[in-house]
Amino acid sequence: MGGYLSAITPWKNINNRYRLLFPLLFLFINTHAQPASYNFTHITTSDGLSNSVVRALTQDKYGYIWIGTLNGLCRYNGYTVETFVHQEKEPYSLPDNFVQGLLCDGDKNIWVSFQNGLYRFDYPTSHFILQAATKGIQIRKIMETGHDTIVCAAAKGIAFFHPSTGSFTYASADAVENAALLKRPVNDIFAAKNEWLYLATDTGLVIYQPLKKKVTLIDLKPIRGQRTDKVTIDSHGTIWISYGGNGESILKTDPLFTKFELLPNFLLAETNVPNNHVSYFFNDSHNRLWIGTSGTGLCLYDTSNNKFIRFGKNPLQPSSISSSNLNSIYQDKQGFIWLGTEGYGVNYFHPDDNLFHSILPDYNQQLNFPDNWARAVTQDNKGDLWLGNVSGLSVYKTSLGSFRYWRNENDRPTQLYSNSVRCLLHDDHDCIWIGTAQGLNRYNPAKDHMDFFGVKDSMPYSFFWALIQDHEKNIWIGSREGLFQYNYTTNTFRNFEQVAAMATYCHYNFLSLFEDSHKRMWMGTYKNGLIMYDPQSGIAKHWMKNESDSSFINNNIRSITEDKNGFIWVASNEGITSYDPATEKFKNYREDEGLKTVNASELMVDEKNRLWIGTGKGLFMLDSSRHSFRSFSLKDGLPSLEFNEQVAFKTLSGDFVYPSLKGFLVFSPLDYKERKPDVDVYISAFKVFNQDYTISTNPEELKALRLKYDENFFTLELTGFNYHNPQEIWYAYKLEPFNKEWIYTKERQINYTNVPGGDYVFHFKASADNTNWNGSDNTMSIHIGTVFYKTKWFWALAGLLIAAMLYAIYRYRIAQKERIYSLQNKSQALEKEKAIVQYESLKQQLNPHFLFNSLTSLRSLIRIDKQNAADFLDKMSLNYRYILKSSEHELVPLKDELEFARGYCDMQQTRFGEGLQVNIMVPEESLYKKIVPVTIQNLIENAIKHNLIDSDTPLIIEITEQDNYLVVSNNLQVKDFVDTSNKYGLKHLQFLYLHLDSRPVLITKDEKYFTVKIPLI
């Protein structure tokens, strides 16, 4: 990490990889710029490495990084480390745990060299298979030279292994000239494009031409006869050789060995690190030469200046290289450079994708330096950068390449109101305004004079938060004591008490200020919301969050900006808000909208109308569509996740500077490019019931899988290879047809339970952008067996048998039912006949009884009233005529039955007078329904028979219709003894209705009433 601003005049002429980190050490002391450190990611034993000493690195065909250590071999996928170690009882484990060399050849085989042998890794079985026994030769490096040839640099010379034949031969056996030179210990080897091999040996540089079988000892005149340790050839053809007792010096020479350039002690002289030497030469895919050292870290050769740029360990910067002692260098197919260290595991970085840089202290400086808690930044017309932090004010003078700082110290005159610098501004008069925690300063560089504004200038000794210059060149000042404005023409300060629109707000605590494209002034306050003041119209508006209006996000406004669409954006400790002045509508963005944190500040809009937000949990970018947030963390190169709760700054060249709690973050937003969304993804593990499943190939090659019926609980592990930030990779999958839709997740473990037997296709893919899934998906077919009793043939056979059984049962049941139906019909007929006979018997019993009572009543009437006796006789005749007529029918209309009942009641009233009252209240629409004849007469007779009848306590019988029932009820005046009752009348009536209707005859009795409900048919 690290790097100075691209706004400085010569900065844009320097490639990003050469940007510099300037120490924050000023005190009028000139310091030389330090090189920028890339964002190094560290893998250590705490991440699973078997040992922190790493001697070899390579990458396989899938994307795994293989790491050879002093205590085992490791495989890394961006998430986890898998370890392979020697096991005594396992013949195909590592022969020992000291890995000497690693190679992925052109056929994508992984080769591992040990002191006593060369092994190949077998993917399907995860076995290490011995290919060549090399006891005692101590292979130091292996590399591929042409197809089917692996060259081994060893302590006993150089040897070749041919995988196709399995032959292992020493080059000295084939060479004709100077064969003895190939028997000497080889410290390093480089294979040129013409297949010449350059060997660094204890006695100098040796060139071996295999095709010509020629060996030549090169006369390196400046270092003739000295030991050579490392050798390489860069893209310009220059040969680089480290030499000396430990390879601490470098010799450069041309391909013809006619010109020599010595770089003695090039590292020792610069860093004063003893025993520092070259440990590795490496040419990357962009033809850059990297040099690993044992004491000063990683060096990059700058061909244009013939200088080395060093990247060493910086304890103040967590993302710097973790160790300055390097053993190996490797570049993967994504362009990442991997470093094996001595005692600190693995580091890796991307030299061409390094968006972020930082301005931080340099721990190597001998003098004290200001605190790295950054607060404010501005830039003058010369490109000098002014930096404010918790411990003072600093400026980097580009013309002098030096720093200067202002800081109050006990033994020096006062430099500022306070060392806590909160805001900075460079105005059009080339003055620097400095807002501190205790007052306002202004520095005039031309006069080298510092102004202290106070009560004499109508300014308070206060906490100053914000400084801006408006379009009229007035200086606006936000403080804890209110809002102020400075006018250069009158050289006076004013507050806004006399401005009518602002008088109410002028003494608020102003945290942030911003002038928009319409020359309106926007002001963020502490606890008092957002204020807009238009000097042209003299109108002010005020917004606050309150209980009745939740559209505004929060009342502590830390930062304000305007986007390309004219929307005003404000940041607070509850998220960010956009305001559309045209519609006067707010829109809030919080964690639910993807911001992942609500503690927001430092808003900036780039040329692509993307919004950049500094927060308490990293840096976020909201895309121009305002639909998607992109987060940046320490893994992306941020110096800190916590940013200052105020404003950021845009330099003259367009770079953004964000103050953080660990220095200043610097980047060019236009350099940010969306990463390639699609990611190489594989199935890296397959388990059944959470146990590893044995398959004939390695999981990454799985295209089809057959499982048994009882193996339908399984887990697939996906691995997407993207070492930028693996934790941000998204996975999409579906098991067709088990899953109807794609499932999106960051989880790599995919569990399926109780999957039915059948044929499925598992689709899967990965993306670095959850909004972009345009890449093609990968597939694997899965067949899950079905238990025999669930198979189609079993069910077909079972179906036939069941069908036959069911048919037989059906035929048997039909026959049985026919017999039962016949018997039931006969039984029902008999039962019905029995019911009818019983009911007829009841009616026959009723007729004599009715006749006896009627004749008795008639005899009495004849003696008393002959005319009524004649009427009684007529009614009696009609009743008997109805009984005789209805006896021929099973059902009669309710209308006829009611007329019969009225006649019957008239006759009974002749006997009982006022003692019997019958009320018939049946609606007209129910009169045409059917009922069993003489039913009502029987019920009335039954009531008369069982109850006392007296004019003082009359028997009241009511006949109504309810829910398609005829309801006959009477009040209870029960007689003590009824001599003519056989107690079977109602039972026979109920039994008869069972054969006429599905509804039963309902009989209820309570303390007051006796009720019978007859279904109307």
Side-chain angles (χ1 to χ4, degrees):
M1 280 268 337
Y4 188 53
L5 298 178
S6 57
I8 297 176
T9 304
W11 187 253
K12 281 295 186 182
N13 298 324
I14 303 176
N15 189 293
N16 280 347
R17 63 180 181 271
Y18 302 143
R19 293 186 179 185
L20 306 180
L21 167 66
F22 294 108
L24 301 180
L25 296 174
F26 311 119
L27 198 58
F28 297 93
I29 296 175
N30 292 345
T31 61
H32 295 290
Q34 299 294 330
S37 175
Y38 291 109
N39 175 34
F40 291 89
T41 300
H42 310 144
I43 309 171
T44 66
T45 52
S46 63
D47 301 304
L49 281 186
S50 57
N51 191 271
S52 57
V53 177
V54 177
R55 294 294 173 84
L57 295 159
T58 194
Q59 184 179 36
D60 66 17
K61 57 185 176 181
Y62 306 114
Y64 293 98
I65 298 297
W66 292 76
I67 305 166
T69 77
L70 292 187
N71 189 35
L73 178 63
C74 301
R75 184 168 66 174
Y76 179 62
N77 60 12
Y79 300 91
T80 58
V81 176
E82 181 183 8
T83 300
F84 304 90
V85 295
H86 172 68
Q87 301 177 49
E88 290 293 339
K89 297 182 180 181
E90 176 52 60
Y92 293 105
S93 67
L94 300 183
D96 64 70
N97 289 328
F98 186 2
V99 178
Q100 301 269 12
L102 285 168
L103 170 67
C104 181
D105 67 16
D107 294 326
K108 309 304 180 184
N109 293 305
I110 293 294
W111 300 87
V112 191
S113 65
F114 301 89
Q115 182 173 359
N116 295 324
L118 183 63
Y119 288 75
R120 178 181 62 82
F121 177 71
D122 184 65
Y123 281 103
T125 62
S126 293
H127 289 168
F128 292 90
I129 302 174
L130 179 63
Q131 301 294 299
T134 57
K135 185 175 181 180
I137 72 168
Q138 297 182 13
I139 298 176
R140 296 170 177 171
K141 188 175 183 178
I142 56 176
M143 61 188 306
E144 191 173 27
T145 59
H147 181 66
D148 196 40
T149 303
I150 297 175
V151 61
C152 307
K156 290 188 177 181
I158 182 173
F160 297 98
F161 176 72
H162 302 282
S164 60
T165 61
S167 62
F168 183 85
T169 59
Y170 287 96
S172 58
D174 297 330
V176 176
E177 298 183 40
N178 301 320
L181 293 173
L182 301 180
K183 296 181 180 180
R184 299 174 181 177
V186 179
N187 302 317
D188 194 20
I189 186 170
F190 180 82
K193 294 181 179 179
N194 57 7
E195 297 190 8
W196 289 15
L197 300 179
Y198 290 73
L199 313 178
T201 71
D202 287 350
T203 55
L205 180 67
V206 175
I207 296 180
Y208 174 47
Q209 303 174 55
L211 298 179
K212 295 182 178 181
K213 296 185 178 181
K214 182 179 178 180
V215 183
T216 305
L217 177 64
I218 304 302
D219 182 14
L220 303 175
K221 295 179 182 179
I223 59 169
R224 182 179 296 159
Q226 292 193 47
R227 167 192 169 109
T228 55
D229 289 276
K230 305 295 178 184
V231 60
T232 193
I233 302 177
D234 66 21
S235 59
H236 301 284
T238 301
I239 300 172
W240 293 74
I241 304 163
S242 69
Y243 69 93
N246 290 313
E248 66 273 10
S249 301
I250 291 178
L251 170 69
K252 292 170 57 180
T253 182
D254 63 285
L256 299 178
F257 304 101
T258 58
K259 297 178 181 179
F260 300 94
E261 180 183 356
L262 291 175
L263 302 172
N265 301 320
F266 83 108
L267 296 173
L268 180 63
E270 180 184 350
T271 62
N272 197 30
V273 177
N275 300 319
N276 191 22
H277 62 271
V278 173
S279 58
Y280 215 93
F281 283 128
F282 182 77
N283 295 285
D284 71 13
S285 58
H286 285 71
N287 300 319
R288 291 167 294 209
L289 177 64
W290 300 86
I291 304 173
T293 72
S294 64
T296 55
L298 182 66
C299 295
L300 172 63
Y301 177 61
D302 181 358
T303 57
S304 60
N305 297 316
N306 194 30
K307 293 182 178 180
F308 296 96
I309 301 174
R310 182 176 65 87
F311 304 89
K313 180 178 180 180
N314 182 356
L316 301 178
Q317 178 62 319
S319 59
S320 71
I321 196 170
S322 64
S323 172
S324 294
N325 190 348
L326 305 182
N327 289 325
S328 57
I329 306 176
Y330 178 80
Q331 187 172 32
D332 68 20
K333 55 189 177 184
Q334 291 181 344
F336 287 93
I337 291 180
W338 298 74
L339 310 173
T341 73
E342 184 76 14
Y344 290 86
V346 175
N347 289 206
Y348 70 89
F349 68 101
H350 201 299
D352 302 301
D353 189 2
N354 202 56
L355 177 65
F356 299 112
H357 306 276
S358 297
I359 303 174
L360 285 168
D362 188 337
Y363 81 103
N364 283 320
Q365 298 296 327
Q366 299 299 314
L367 299 173
N368 292 330
F369 49 84
D371 194 294
N372 61 2
W373 187 341
R375 290 275 178 72
V377 59
T378 193
Q379 187 179 30
D380 61 28
N381 294 330
K382 297 177 183 178
D384 294 347
L385 196 67
W386 297 76
L387 309 169
N389 58 34
V390 74
S391 299
L393 172 67
S394 313
V395 60
Y396 174 70
K397 309 289 289 183
T398 57
S399 59
L400 301 176
S402 62
F403 286 97
R404 178 184 179 183
Y405 78 80
W406 291 260
R407 183 172 65 184
N408 294 331
E409 296 180 351
N410 293 332
D411 57 347
R412 299 178 62 221
T414 301
Q415 304 288 304
L416 300 166
Y417 268 119
S418 169
N419 285 336
S420 179
V421 176
R422 308 303 305 215
C423 53
L424 292 170
L425 170 69
H426 172 260
D427 66 22
D428 277 14
H429 291 77
D430 202 30
C431 290
I432 304 298
W433 293 77
I434 308 135
T436 76
Q438 296 180 11
L440 180 66
N441 291 103
R442 181 181 63 184
Y443 176 68
N444 187 332
K447 298 179 180 180
D448 191 21
H449 177 73
M450 183 71 72
D451 293 320
F452 288 78
F453 298 112
V455 175
K456 62 180 175 44
D457 307 291
S458 301
M459 289 296 291
Y461 301 110
S462 181
F463 197 114
F464 287 85
W465 293 101
L467 289 162
I468 66 167
Q469 179 178 261
D470 66 17
H471 66 284
E472 294 181 344
K473 314 306 180 187
N474 296 315
I475 309 300
W476 292 65
I477 307 155
S479 77
R480 186 176 290 171
E481 304 297 326
L483 181 66
F484 301 88
Q485 187 186 72
Y486 175 78
N487 186 291
Y488 261 106
T489 303
T490 61
N491 192 29
T492 59
F493 292 90
R494 71 159 182 166
N495 62 30
F496 284 81
E497 289 180 340
Q498 305 304 318
V499 180
M502 289 294 295
T504 304
Y505 320 119
C506 65
H507 294 296
Y508 284 175
N509 188 351
F510 288 84
L511 300 179
S512 55
L513 302 170
F514 179 77
E515 185 180 34
D516 69 14
S517 58
H518 295 278
K519 301 177 183 178
R520 296 172 297 202
M521 190 64 62
W522 298 80
M523 293 154 276
T525 70
Y526 176 69
K527 292 188 177 181
N528 286 295
L530 178 68
I531 300 169
M532 186 279 291
Y533 173 60
D534 187 351
Q536 300 173 91
S537 65
I539 296 175
K541 290 186 178 181
H542 183 211
W543 296 272
M544 282 189 68
K545 180 180 180 181
N546 53 58
E547 294 181 358
S548 61
D549 183 9
S550 61
S551 62
F552 195 66
I553 195 165
N554 186 263
N555 293 328
N556 296 327
I557 308 302
R558 300 165 172 174
S559 179
I560 310 171
T561 193
E562 180 182 19
D563 68 16
K564 305 296 182 183
N565 299 322
F567 284 59
I568 300 299
W569 293 81
V570 298
S572 74
N573 59 353
E574 289 190 19
I576 61 174
T577 298
S578 69
Y579 173 69
D580 183 1
T583 63
E584 298 187 351
K585 291 184 178 179
F586 290 93
K587 182 177 180 181
N588 298 323
Y589 296 80
R590 299 184 177 90
E591 290 179 303
D592 292 343
E593 286 77 24
L595 188 57
K596 297 183 181 179
T597 179
V598 295
N599 189 17
S601 58
E602 299 188 337
L603 298 177
M604 297 288 282
V605 176
D606 65 20
E607 294 302 317
K608 294 183 178 180
N609 204 28
R610 300 174 298 193
L611 186 70
W612 298 80
I613 310 128
T615 76
K617 292 185 179 180
L619 181 70
F620 288 80
M621 186 271 289
L622 178 59
D623 67 6
S624 57
S625 70
R626 307 299 185 241
H627 292 154
S628 175
F629 284 92
R630 165 74 162 91
S631 63
F632 302 88
S633 65
L634 297 176
K635 289 183 175 292
D636 296 293
L638 302 185
S640 170
L641 290 179
E642 296 182 81
F643 287 87
N644 180 34
E645 295 181 350
Q646 286 178 259
V647 299
F649 180 77
K650 182 178 181 180
T651 68
L652 298 175
S653 65
D655 281 359
F656 288 175
V657 186
Y658 278 68
S660 80
L661 269 62
K662 291 185 179 179
F664 295 88
L665 175 70
V666 185
F667 66 98
S668 172
L670 296 182
D671 287 346
Y672 170 72
K673 298 177 182 178
E674 293 289 346
R675 304 200 189 284
K676 184 180 177 182
D678 57 317
V679 174
D680 290 338
V681 59
Y682 296 93
I683 296 173
S684 52
F686 187 83
K687 296 181 179 181
V688 173
F689 287 102
N690 208 32
Q691 299 295 321
D692 289 332
Y693 188 73
T694 302
I695 50 180
S696 59
T697 185
N698 51 304
E700 292 80 6
E701 298 290 342
L702 272 178
K703 297 299 180 184
L705 193 62
R706 296 186 67 85
L707 301 175
K708 299 176 182 178
Y709 72 88
D710 57 351
E711 295 174 334
N712 59 345
F713 285 68
F714 55 87
T715 301
L716 302 104
E717 180 187 81
L718 300 181
T719 297
F721 291 94
N722 184 342
Y723 293 105
H724 281 284
N725 195 343
Q727 308 303 324
E728 293 299 318
I729 295 177
W730 283 83
Y731 296 92
Y733 68 90
K734 65 176 177 178
L735 183 64
E736 217 170 34
F738 190 81
N739 298 125
K740 301 301 181 183
E741 303 291 339
W742 283 92
I743 299 170
Y744 300 91
T745 179
K746 283 187 177 181
E747 296 296 326
R748 298 168 56 224
Q749 303 288 337
I750 300 168
N751 298 304
Y752 284 101
T753 59
N754 200 27
V755 180
D759 292 309
Y760 302 90
V761 177
F762 180 65
H763 300 260
F764 61 99
K765 52 188 175 182
S767 176
D769 181 1
N770 190 31
T771 64
N772 189 341
W773 292 94
N774 294 326
S776 59
D777 60 299
N778 305 278
T779 60
M780 179 183 70
S781 61
I782 301 176
H783 171 80
I784 300 177
T786 306
V787 65
F788 76 92
Y789 53 81
K790 293 183 180 181
T791 59
K792 292 181 179 179
W793 64 265
F794 175 84
W795 283 108
L797 181 59
L800 290 174
L801 292 174
I802 292 172
M805 292 175 62
L806 290 176
Y807 182 74
I809 293 171
Y810 171 75
R811 294 302 304 168
Y812 174 78
R813 294 281 292 175
I814 290 296
Q816 287 292 98
K817 283 183 178 181
E818 288 176 351
R819 287 193 293 271
I820 292 172
Y821 288 158
S822 176
L823 293 173
Q824 285 179 340
N825 289 336
K826 292 179 181 180
S827 174
Q828 289 178 355
L830 292 173
E831 291 288 343
K832 186 175 182 181
E833 289 178 6
K834 178 182 177 182
I836 294 172
V837 169
Q838 289 175 337
Y839 191 67
E840 288 297 327
S841 174
L842 178 63
K843 290 194 288 184
Q844 292 302 321
Q845 292 177 18
L846 173 65
N847 291 342
H849 182 71
F850 175 50
L851 179 59
F852 174 77
N853 289 334
S854 297
L855 291 174
T856 302
S857 299
L858 182 60
R859 186 181 63 179
S860 299
L861 286 174
I862 291 172
R863 288 197 307 265
I864 299 171
D865 189 345
K866 294 182 179 180
Q867 182 60 42
N868 283 337
D871 291 340
F872 184 86
L873 183 60
D874 290 338
K875 292 178 181 179
M876 180 177 172
S877 174
L878 290 173
N879 285 339
Y880 269 92
R881 186 180 293 112
Y882 175 78
I883 293 172
L884 293 174
K885 182 180 177 181
S886 63
S887 62
E888 300 174 359
H889 303 282
E890 192 174 56
L891 296 171
V892 296
L894 178 60
K895 179 181 179 183
D896 295 346
E897 181 71 5
L898 287 174
E899 289 179 357
F900 168 64
R902 287 189 182 96
Y904 175 76
C905 290
D906 289 344
M907 293 174 64
Q908 295 301 321
Q909 283 178 334
T910 303
R911 292 176 57 198
F912 301 113
E914 295 298 324
L916 175 64
Q917 298 179 18
V918 179
N919 301 319
I920 301 176
M921 297 172 286
V922 177
E924 181 72 23
E925 60 268 19
S926 300
L927 295 178
Y928 298 96
K929 296 178 181 179
K930 298 297 183 69
I931 192 171
V932 174
V934 194
T935 298
I936 300 176
Q937 189 270 344
N938 278 329
L939 294 177
I940 294 173
E941 178 64 22
N942 190 64
I944 294 172
K945 180 170 57 176
H946 289 275
N947 291 275
L948 296 173
I949 301 176
D950 188 89
S951 58
D952 293 332
T953 55
L955 174 65
I956 303 173
I957 302 173
E958 292 186 349
I959 303 173
T960 59
E961 190 269 348
Q962 181 182 347
D963 297 332
N964 210 25
Y965 272 89
L966 183 71
V967 181
V968 181
S969 64
N970 63 271
N971 57 327
L972 286 175
Q973 300 179 149
V974 182
K975 294 179 180 179
D976 293 333
F977 175 75
V978 181
D979 58 348
T980 59
S981 176
N982 58 15
K983 299 183 180 180
Y984 287 103
L986 291 178
K987 288 185 178 180
H988 292 163
L989 186 64
Q990 284 181 309
F991 191 73
L992 177 61
Y993 266 92
L994 285 177
H995 301 282
L996 298 176
D997 196 282
S998 60
R999 296 170 297 165
V1001 173
L1002 303 176
I1003 302 173
T1004 59
K1005 180 180 179 182
D1006 56 26
E1007 294 179 354
K1008 294 182 178 182
Y1009 296 98
F1010 182 84
T1011 304
V1012 179
K1013 293 183 177 181
I1014 306 297
L1016 293 176
I1017 302 172

